[in-house]
Amino acid sequence: MKRVRIIVDGRVQGVGFRYFVANGARTHNINGYVQNLPDGKVEIDAEGESENLHHFLVECKQGPQLSRVDTFMVSDIPFYGYRQFKIKQR
């Protein structure tokens, strides 16, 4: 199992990006959360099997049709043990 924190910048708020990410997480059996950040970016905290996580990240980097991903920063972080994937509200 592996856990990553992703910061996505671009046109990623107001375009269904968090819902796209949550759907991808369910498809790839990923747990964690996604949330909008005050500076217009989106944070994804995701964990799962390495191969599933890889496919999930590829989808997230593309984003939904109306989005535009300019930067996609991925950091490995210690495993936490999430039991589901949530869309967090700020």
Side-chain angles (χ1 to χ4, degrees):
M1 297 293 273
K2 183 177 177 178
R3 179 179 174 209
V4 294
R5 179 177 186 253
I6 305 110
I7 301 296
V8 188
D9 196 5
R11 186 173 51 220
V12 292
Q13 291 191 13
V15 294
F17 194 88
R18 289 177 301 153
Y19 299 96
F20 177 86
V21 169
N23 187 53
R26 283 187 285 278
T27 300
H28 297 290
N29 199 29
I30 300 298
N31 294 327
Y33 67 85
V34 61
Q35 69 179 349
N36 286 339
L37 297 176
D39 62 2
K41 298 175 185 171
V42 168
E43 175 188 30
I44 305 166
D45 188 334
E47 60 186 24
E49 297 291 337
S50 291
E51 187 172 335
N52 293 353
L53 200 52
H54 169 75
H55 294 295
F56 171 71
L57 293 177
V58 168
E59 272 186 26
C60 290
K61 193 170 186 177
Q62 185 176 14
Q65 187 174 4
L66 295 176
S67 71
R68 184 190 73 244
V69 175
D70 294 335
T71 57
F72 193 83
M73 298 176 9
V74 180
S75 305
D76 290 335
I77 55 178
F79 187 76
Y80 179 77
Y82 292 113
R83 299 205 181 265
Q84 61 184 336
F85 196 90
K86 292 183 179 181
I87 296 175
K88 284 191 173 181
Q89 306 295 328
R90 279 213 168 245

